[in-house]
Amino acid sequence: MSEGTPPPPPPPENPEGGAPPPYGQTPPPPPGGGYGAAPPPPPPGGPGGYGAAPPPPPAPPLGSGDYSPTDAFSYGWAKFKAKPGELLVPMLVVLVIVIVLEVIVQIILRASLLGTHDCTKTVLGTTVQTQCGPSFFVSLLGAGLAGLVISLITQALGAGLIKNALHIADGQPASMGEIGKYAGNGKVITAALIVSVATFIGTLLCYLPGIIVGFLLNWTMFYVVDQGMEPMDAVKASVKFAVDNLGNTVVFYLLGIVAFVVGAILCLVGLLVAAPVVLIGAAYTFRKLNGQQVSPVA
């Protein structure tokens, strides 16, 4: 060491006793939670206190979560009960128009295909005068034609009702103007004609095929008014939707029939409740089974 160079500083003393650490090294932190030690764990919390488990989330509102047909009817009833006139008024207008047109169609058919006439029959060797009606095939043809015409009119007018039901499921107000807007729409009329003709052909095959066709094509107009699909694309989408969700769509379809039958039994007044509930439930079904959200019930 040269003369004039100061000596190195002495090593720091160890406050806990014992040998001091080597020169140039940092002493270890003292035991017992002193300065630099990890903080102690939080005390066990009581109910609602620090460290307690968070409270469970509230139950999801109706309109979220998984789908079930009974939920669809509950949703339809809740929405209808909240604003009964929102869908009922346009539905009544459509119903009156359809009833008047159906009466006219039945009068025309009875005057042509389904009317009776005087005829003679031989019963046990005796010729008698009686009234003869149409044959089974002619009656079936008349029923099919009546169904074709009424189905075409109902679907064209009902497209606006479907759009209104989708508005309600989306939390938007229904509008009377949707009826006229869609009744004259080219895609709506073409889709209604396709569905009506297919159902008519199924009806001619002794009714059951007509019911099956009606079930498979039940969602055609939803795709037309909601997504603006071309008629044949909407038909294909409806069949795929019904088949891919077969269990749910069959149950909903059957529950809808039961609702309409019960409504008709109640002097037709029940239909004023059943029809809007089923239609809103169908909009709920369409949204949920397509993976879309619906507005909660207020």
Side-chain angles (χ1 to χ4, degrees):
M1 183 179 300
S2 63
E3 189 175 341
T5 302
E13 295 183 358
N14 189 352
E16 300 294 329
Y23 176 69
Q25 294 187 8
T26 305
Y35 175 73
Y50 175 71
L62 190 60
S64 61
D66 295 331
Y67 172 85
S68 78
T70 53
D71 284 347
F73 278 87
S74 298
Y75 183 87
W77 167 247
K79 284 287 191 179
F80 172 74
K81 187 173 61 173
K83 294 182 179 179
E86 190 171 24
L87 192 59
L88 183 58
V89 172
M91 186 167 285
L92 281 174
V93 173
V94 170
L95 183 62
V96 169
I97 295 174
V98 170
I99 289 175
V100 171
L101 293 176
E102 185 169 7
V103 169
I104 295 173
V105 169
Q106 290 296 335
I107 291 174
I108 294 174
L109 285 175
R110 291 189 180 280
S112 53
L113 289 176
L114 304 180
T116 59
H117 58 277
D118 294 333
C119 63
T120 59
K121 287 187 176 181
T122 301
V123 180
L124 299 175
T126 304
T127 302
V128 296
Q129 288 288 123
T130 185
Q131 289 287 313
C132 294
S135 65
F136 173 76
F137 177 77
V138 172
S139 299
L140 199 61
L141 177 63
L145 285 174
L148 170 64
V149 175
I150 298 304
S151 175
L152 178 60
I153 296 170
T154 301
Q155 288 188 69
L157 292 173
L161 295 178
I162 290 174
K163 187 63 175 179
N164 275 331
L166 290 169
H167 281 326
I168 292 173
D170 295 338
Q172 302 172 12
S175 169
M176 188 69 195
E178 300 287 8
I179 307 299
K181 174 183 175 181
Y182 284 98
N185 182 279
K187 291 181 180 179
V188 167
I189 295 174
T190 304
L193 185 60
I194 293 171
V195 173
S196 300
V197 170
T199 307
F200 167 68
I201 295 173
T203 302
L204 289 182
L205 300 175
C206 296
Y207 291 106
L208 182 59
I211 295 174
I212 296 174
V213 169
F215 164 73
L216 292 174
L217 304 186
N218 187 51
W219 308 97
T220 300
M221 205 59 72
F222 281 84
Y223 282 103
V224 173
V225 302
D226 184 58
Q227 300 182 16
M229 282 189 178
E230 294 297 325
M232 281 308 302
D233 292 336
V235 167
K236 295 174 185 177
S238 176
V239 174
K240 186 177 186 304
F241 179 82
V243 172
D244 288 351
N245 303 283
L246 190 61
N248 285 323
T249 51
V250 166
V251 173
F252 179 81
Y253 193 75
L254 293 176
L255 289 177
I257 293 174
V258 170
F260 279 117
V261 169
V262 172
I265 291 173
L266 298 176
C267 300
L268 300 180
V269 177
L271 288 175
L272 300 180
V273 175
V277 169
V278 171
L279 193 54
I280 297 172
Y284 174 94
T285 300
F286 182 77
R287 284 281 185 253
K288 295 291 284 185
L289 293 182
N290 273 313
Q292 300 168 331
Q293 291 297 317
V294 297
S295 64
V297 177

